[in-house]
Amino acid sequence: MPAGTLYRGREGMWSWVAHRVTGVLIFFFLFVHVLDTALVRVSPEAYDTVVATYKTPIVACLEYGLVAAILFHALNGLRVIAVDFWAKGARYQKPMLWTVVVVWIVLMLGAIYPVLGHAARVVFGS
């Protein structure tokens, strides 16, 4: 495969950028998650306060963003594996990218109620 084949074209460049950005965002989430979990050993009261803030509608929106980042990163990672290890992968990378995008959108639409349902009830009432 010639150099640059994987990310040829505008779509490939943006999928490369999105893959890196989502990877960094997931890393920072994991870092913060380890820190806030460790807080329980330092100060259980502070831990309870932090956990209480996680039940706010704003954090629910951030959780939806986290789901979006993890899901895109996972689906695009599978696409990258297919491009790398399937003999015809480079030929079908653009259709696979659009398949990833469509599957991601469908799954994200399905995640709206489970992730944001409680926040919507808090903001708009039961």
Side-chain angles (χ1 to χ4, degrees):
M1 174 178 350
T5 302
L6 178 58
Y7 297 110
R8 183 177 294 153
R10 187 173 302 141
E11 296 89 358
M13 178 189 70
W14 285 112
S15 71
W16 183 88
V17 169
H19 197 73
R20 278 19 180 217
V21 168
T22 56
V24 169
L25 290 174
I26 294 165
F27 171 79
F28 282 118
F29 163 76
L30 290 173
F31 182 72
V32 169
H33 179 63
V34 167
L35 288 179
D36 70 8
T37 304
L39 188 60
V40 75
R41 298 192 44 86
V42 176
S43 171
E45 297 81 22
Y47 174 79
D48 290 340
T49 303
V50 169
V51 169
T53 64
Y54 290 165
K55 296 175 183 175
T56 64
I58 292 171
V59 174
C61 291
L62 293 173
E63 285 176 346
Y64 188 72
L66 176 65
V67 170
I70 291 171
L71 191 56
F72 178 81
H73 193 80
L75 293 171
N76 193 54
L78 292 173
R79 182 189 70 86
V80 170
I81 290 169
V83 169
D84 285 348
F85 292 105
W86 181 33
K88 296 180 183 179
R91 182 180 310 147
Y92 295 109
Q93 67 176 331
K94 195 170 184 178
M96 285 190 294
L97 174 61
W98 288 111
T99 302
V100 162
V101 170
V102 168
V103 169
W104 179 78
I105 288 171
V106 168
L107 292 174
M108 288 308 299
L109 288 172
I112 289 174
Y113 182 75
V115 178
L116 296 176
H118 176 71
R121 286 188 295 279
V122 167
V123 172
F124 301 113
S126 296

